[in-house]
Amino acid sequence: MARYTGPSCRLCRREGKKLFLKGDRCYTDKCAVTKRATAPGQHGARRGKLSNYGLQLREKQMVKRAYGVIEGQFRETYERANKLNGITGDNLLRLLELRLDNVVFRMGMASSRKEARQLVNHGHFTLNGKKADIPSMTLSVGDIVAVKEGSLSSEKFKSLQEKAAQAPKWIQADIEKLAGKVIALPDREDIDLPIEEHLIIELYSR
C-alpha cells in the first residue's frame, strides 16, 4: 500500500476527530473538523451504528493516520509489541511514540507528525551524532536527536529557538541547542491522543 498523499483534513473528517495533522491550523476555526464535522463523500452525513469489527477497524485506522504509518509497518509494529513483555497495547503505543519522526514532533521541532516526517526525510536531523533520515527508526533511552549543523541557520529552526519547548516528561528537550534526549520510556499516560488500544489488539487477535 502506498503512502496517502491526499488532503490531510479529509482523514480527520473520516475519523470524526482531530488528528492534528496540519499543526497550528488544527487549533483554529479553520480546522475542517470544526467547520464540517461529517465524513467526506456524498453520504458522509449518514453515519450508521458501527459493529464491533467496525469500531476496531476505525480505531486502527485512526492510530495509523495519526502517526503516519502504513498498514505493513503498523502490522509489523504490532507483532513486535506482542513479543515484548508486558501489556501488548501499551507496548504498541510505546513503539509508536519512540519512532524518530514522533520524537522530533514531541521535542517541539515540528508543528505536526507529518511535518516531522518530512524534515527527517530531508536529512535535517542527527541521531547520536550521525545522520538519521529514516522516520520509522525506533529510539532507545539515552538516544540524542539534534538538528544537524548545516540546518541550524534555516529560518525554520531559528524560529523554534524563540518558542518554549513543550516536550513530554520522557524527553529532555533543549530548544536553544535544538536537541533532545530520550531519558525514559513513554508511559501510557504520556500519549497525547485519545486511543482505545484494546480495540486494535482485539482486531489483530481475531
Side-chain angles (χ1 to χ4, degrees):
M1 180 188 294
R3 186 172 298 280
Y4 177 79
T5 57
S8 297
C9 294
R10 185 182 180 90
L11 300 181
C12 295
R13 287 181 57 207
R14 179 62 186 87
E15 301 307 327
K17 62 184 71 174
K18 293 188 178 186
L19 303 181
F20 302 99
L21 303 178
K22 297 282 285 186
D24 295 338
R25 181 188 177 96
C26 300
Y27 297 94
T28 69
D29 293 336
K30 294 181 179 180
C31 173
V33 176
T34 301
K35 293 171 64 177
R36 192 177 179 187
T38 58
Q42 182 178 1
H43 306 292
R46 303 179 186 175
R47 288 183 183 268
K49 185 176 180 180
L50 292 175
S51 63
N52 286 338
Y53 174 77
L55 290 171
Q56 295 164 1
L57 182 61
R58 289 266 55 86
E59 195 68 16
K60 184 195 74 168
Q61 293 295 90
M62 185 272 286
V63 175
K64 279 173 49 184
R65 289 165 172 173
Y67 283 96
V69 181
I70 60 176
E71 179 62 35
Q73 290 177 327
F74 195 81
R75 178 80 193 202
E76 180 182 349
T77 303
Y78 163 76
E79 291 175 352
R80 288 173 58 198
N82 197 34
K83 293 177 182 178
L84 296 173
N85 294 328
I87 302 173
T88 302
D90 291 352
N91 292 338
L92 175 63
L93 297 181
R94 184 174 295 119
L95 289 174
L96 291 170
E97 281 289 300
L98 288 170
R99 283 172 54 98
L100 176 57
D101 55 356
N102 183 73
V103 172
V104 167
F105 165 66
R106 299 283 259 155
M107 284 167 53
M109 301 296 175
S111 62
S112 67
R113 290 179 174 87
K114 184 176 182 179
E115 183 185 43
R117 184 165 56 255
Q118 184 180 52
L119 292 173
V120 172
N121 275 326
H122 289 178
H124 290 294
F125 292 91
T126 62
L127 177 61
N128 299 325
K130 297 181 180 180
K131 182 180 178 180
D133 57 6
I134 302 176
S136 61
M137 294 175 66
T138 302
L139 274 57
S140 303
V141 175
D143 283 344
I144 299 175
V145 179
V147 176
K148 74 173 185 179
E149 187 174 349
S151 300
L152 290 173
S153 59
S154 166
E155 288 300 322
K156 162 66 181 176
F157 295 113
K158 278 185 176 180
S159 64
L160 291 177
Q161 294 177 313
E162 301 174 0
K163 301 179 181 179
Q166 297 180 344
K169 64 184 181 184
W170 55 277
I171 295 177
Q172 186 178 62
D174 188 334
I175 201 67
E176 291 185 3
K177 295 182 179 179
L178 294 176
K181 181 179 181 180
V182 179
I183 58 175
L185 294 176
D187 294 325
R188 177 62 186 85
E189 57 268 23
D190 295 322
I191 308 302
D192 64 338
L193 293 166
I195 299 174
E196 297 184 57
E197 64 275 13
H198 66 92
L199 294 175
I200 302 172
I201 305 307
E202 291 170 4
L203 177 65
Y204 279 126
S205 301
R206 295 173 73 92

